[in-house]
Amino acid sequence: MEVIDFSNNLLDGPIPSSLFHLPSLRYLFLQNNSLTGHISHFQFHKLRYLDLSNNLLDGPIPSSVSRLVNLRVLILSSNNKLIQEIPPSICELKSLQILDLSKNGLSGSIPYCLGSFKKLLVLGLGLNNFQGTIFTTFSEGNSLRYLNFNGNKFQGHIPKSITNCRYLEVLDLGSNKIEDTFPSFLGTLTELRVLILRFNKLHGSMQSPSTNFSFPKLRILDVSNNVLSGNLPSNFFKDLKAMMDVDSYMEYMMMKDYSYDYSARMILKGLEIELVKIQTTLTVIDLSGNKFTGEIPEAMWKLKALKQLNLSHNRLTGCILSSLGNLSNLESLDLSYNLLTGEIPIHLVDLTFLQILNLSYNQLEGPIPQGKQFNTFENSSYEGNLGLCGFPLSKSCNSGDIIKQLVPLPNLQEGDATGFGWKSVSIGFGCGLPFGFSMGYMTQTRRRRAWFVRLIQSVASTFKKV
């Protein structure tokens, strides 16, 4: 017998110890059942793949795991009651490629040897009770693609030796007690797609790494709920090349040779969830719950692949950029609890995929844009802005405010047939839109001035009839 697969059934009770005495067994799949009891001592030496995940097992991981010298995959995740430390004998498993012990009650420190395994591709230790510091011995030439320490009690710094993980695609250190500055040195990891550092104690400003390679493949950045401060660095967002290209070819991030799906824990559209599968097209920036100041960087409008942008609960000032209307794939925009001023740009109406909008508790004023997705948002999207008016709020706008809404926003890339190109309006781009139109009007030919006068007279005539 070389393969036993009883996965995805309704089996309960303890695992028969006889299974651990089969001398020729290479693959044992018992995941997704209701098996209980301790894991018996291992006896066989040829086992390569062992998956006991999603059961009700308890007790420690037996030290006899060291006998499985040919083991390549060890998955004991989601058993909830596995306890005590990872046995030091696990350091004997030099052939390991996937080690997933996440979602248990394991504690203590992590054996340093795991950072020096050359063949290890996946190290998943999230949602346990591990303590101490993250070991600093990620050796050169390692093969790590996925590193998840989320939901533990790690302290100290993020080790710079992680830059030795040249092939790393996912790094999730969220929900720990890490006290450090923003790890800009991780920008040298040219394969990194997911970086989650939420709910830690990161402080200081975000600085772009002094390198030509600055997160070129990053698609998910979550540093929410830290104490980062200072202005949002424009150069940082200019380097996020993968967020500028819309990828319509959707796959899931995974270790294909073993059909092992990458997962991550984060907030999407206002809900904290665990992504058991991460779509390659998912593009997120979450900087909420920090102390960032200054204006929203103009460079953000180039991140056209973004599906979620969350800058809430900071101290951002200035106006909402009209250029954010170019983020045509955006599904969720949260700018709440800041100090933003000015009007809501009408160009945001063009965000036809927008499902969630939260602009509450700022200092915004003027009419709320109407049409398309904006007709679906409720009062909660705008509450706490005493100067706003129009649907869905009970406060109505006067006719002057409505006229402002009827003036179309110019295209950011090319002029229109009337001669009002974006260059003449860019002076007022953002908060000062009416001033920009005035300047554009003053710089046009006499014929275009006459056209502008006729436009205003026509609009004014319409409102007199009303």
Side-chain angles (χ1 to χ4, degrees):
M1 185 75 71
E2 294 188 356
V3 180
I4 294 179
D5 187 350
F6 292 147
S7 61
N8 302 295
N9 283 286
L10 299 174
L11 300 175
D12 56 21
I15 301 174
S17 59
S18 57
L19 288 180
F20 298 102
H21 291 269
L22 298 174
S24 299
L25 193 64
R26 295 175 183 266
Y27 301 89
L28 179 57
F29 303 97
L30 298 177
Q31 69 269 26
N32 299 314
N33 283 286
S34 298
L35 298 171
T36 59
H38 288 26
I39 300 174
S40 301
H41 287 289
F42 300 104
Q43 298 294 333
F44 42 77
H45 302 279
K46 293 186 178 181
L47 197 65
R48 293 185 178 181
Y49 200 120
L50 177 60
D51 191 344
L52 306 179
S53 61
N54 289 290
N55 281 287
L56 301 172
L57 301 171
D58 56 26
I61 300 172
S63 59
S64 57
V65 69
S66 60
R67 297 175 180 174
L68 308 179
V69 292
N70 295 312
L71 198 63
R72 296 179 182 176
V73 177
L74 178 59
I75 303 178
L76 304 177
S77 60
S78 300
N79 282 291
N80 301 319
K81 296 182 180 180
L82 290 182
I83 58 173
Q84 298 184 16
E85 298 183 353
I86 300 175
S89 58
I90 205 168
C91 294
E92 303 297 323
L93 306 183
K94 302 293 185 182
S95 296
L96 269 183
Q97 294 183 311
I98 294 179
L99 177 61
D100 189 347
L101 308 177
S102 59
K103 301 178 187 176
N104 282 291
L106 299 170
S107 58
S109 58
I110 300 175
Y112 274 53
C113 65
L114 296 180
S116 60
F117 279 13
K118 296 291 186 181
K119 297 181 180 180
L120 194 62
L121 304 170
V122 170
L123 181 55
L125 303 178
L127 296 175
N128 281 285
N129 295 310
F130 293 116
Q131 302 177 13
T133 58
I134 300 173
F135 48 75
T136 58
T137 57
F138 291 98
S139 61
E140 293 185 8
N142 72 71
S143 303
L144 272 173
R145 264 75 167 173
Y146 175 85
L147 184 61
N148 190 336
F149 290 171
N150 180 286
N152 284 283
K153 300 176 182 178
F154 289 115
Q155 300 176 339
H157 298 283
I158 300 172
K160 291 188 176 181
S161 62
I162 291 182
T163 55
N164 290 329
C165 307
R166 296 172 52 201
Y167 307 106
L168 196 63
E169 298 178 60
V170 177
L171 177 60
D172 187 349
L173 303 179
S175 299
N176 281 283
K177 299 179 180 180
I178 297 171
E179 296 188 45
D180 203 348
T181 56
F182 180 77
S184 58
F185 55 84
L186 295 178
T188 60
L189 296 175
T190 57
E191 298 298 321
L192 191 63
R193 300 184 184 188
V194 178
L195 177 59
I196 299 178
L197 303 172
R198 59 191 297 264
F199 280 103
N200 279 287
K201 298 179 182 180
L202 300 182
H203 54 85
S205 61
M206 287 180 64
Q207 298 294 331
S208 299
S210 55
T211 174
N212 293 327
F213 304 101
S214 303
F215 301 101
K217 290 189 177 181
L218 195 66
R219 298 189 72 90
I220 296 178
L221 172 64
D222 187 347
V223 293
S224 61
N225 295 284
N226 283 279
V227 285
L228 295 167
S229 59
N231 292 349
L232 296 175
S234 181
N235 289 338
F236 177 88
F237 299 103
K238 288 180 180 178
D239 291 330
L240 301 178
K241 303 298 182 183
M243 295 191 185
M244 300 178 187
D245 301 323
V246 179
D247 185 3
S248 58
Y249 185 68
M250 195 274 288
E251 289 184 319
Y252 290 105
M253 297 183 64
M254 63 187 301
M255 192 58 57
K256 294 183 179 179
D257 292 343
Y258 295 101
S259 297
Y260 179 90
D261 293 308
Y262 297 162
S263 62
R265 195 169 190 85
M266 57 188 301
I267 292 179
L268 281 182
K269 300 179 181 179
L271 299 175
E272 182 173 5
I273 62 173
E274 180 180 10
L275 293 174
V276 294
K277 293 185 177 183
I278 305 175
Q279 294 180 355
T280 55
T281 57
L282 181 61
T283 308
V284 173
I285 291 180
D286 191 343
L287 308 179
S288 63
N290 284 282
K291 297 181 179 180
F292 290 118
T293 56
E295 299 182 353
I296 300 173
E298 182 71 41
M300 277 193 169
W301 78 268
K302 296 183 178 180
L303 308 180
K304 296 185 177 181
L306 266 183
K307 292 192 174 182
Q308 174 172 303
L309 176 61
N310 191 344
L311 304 179
S312 67
H313 292 85
N314 282 288
R315 300 171 183 175
L316 299 176
T317 56
C319 60
I320 299 175
L321 298 176
S322 298
S323 55
L324 293 182
N326 283 298
L327 304 180
S328 55
N329 285 280
L330 206 60
E331 298 176 4
S332 177
L333 176 62
D334 192 345
L335 304 177
S336 61
Y337 290 92
N338 279 288
L339 302 171
L340 298 172
T341 57
E343 297 185 358
I344 302 173
I346 193 173
H347 200 28
L348 297 187
V349 173
D350 293 332
L351 300 176
T352 54
F353 290 111
L354 197 63
Q355 300 173 14
I356 294 178
L357 175 68
N358 193 348
L359 305 178
S360 61
Y361 295 99
N362 281 282
Q363 300 171 14
L364 302 173
E365 59 185 7
I368 296 173
Q370 303 298 313
K372 299 180 181 178
Q373 294 298 97
F374 268 72
N375 291 343
T376 67
F377 301 133
E378 300 180 353
N379 289 26
S380 57
S381 295
Y382 311 105
E383 62 184 352
N385 293 280
L386 300 181
L388 287 179
C389 60
F391 180 83
L393 303 179
S394 58
K395 180 181 179 181
S396 60
C397 303
N398 59 46
S399 59
D401 291 328
I402 299 175
I403 291 176
K404 289 181 182 179
Q405 289 193 65
L406 296 178
V407 179
L409 187 77
N411 190 289
L412 292 177
Q413 296 180 350
E414 46 188 2
D416 59 24
T418 66
F420 277 90
W422 69 270
K423 292 182 179 179
S424 63
V425 183
S426 61
I427 300 173
F429 187 65
C431 300
L433 187 60
F435 176 71
F437 272 104
S438 299
M439 293 299 295
Y441 158 68
M442 293 173 63
T443 56
Q444 304 305 313
T445 63
R446 180 173 300 176
R447 181 179 61 181
R448 290 169 181 166
R449 294 175 186 169
W451 173 88
F452 185 77
V453 170
R454 288 197 301 271
L455 172 64
I456 297 300
Q457 290 175 343
S458 175
V459 172
S461 175
T462 299
F463 278 96
K464 285 181 180 179
K465 293 179 181 180
V466 174

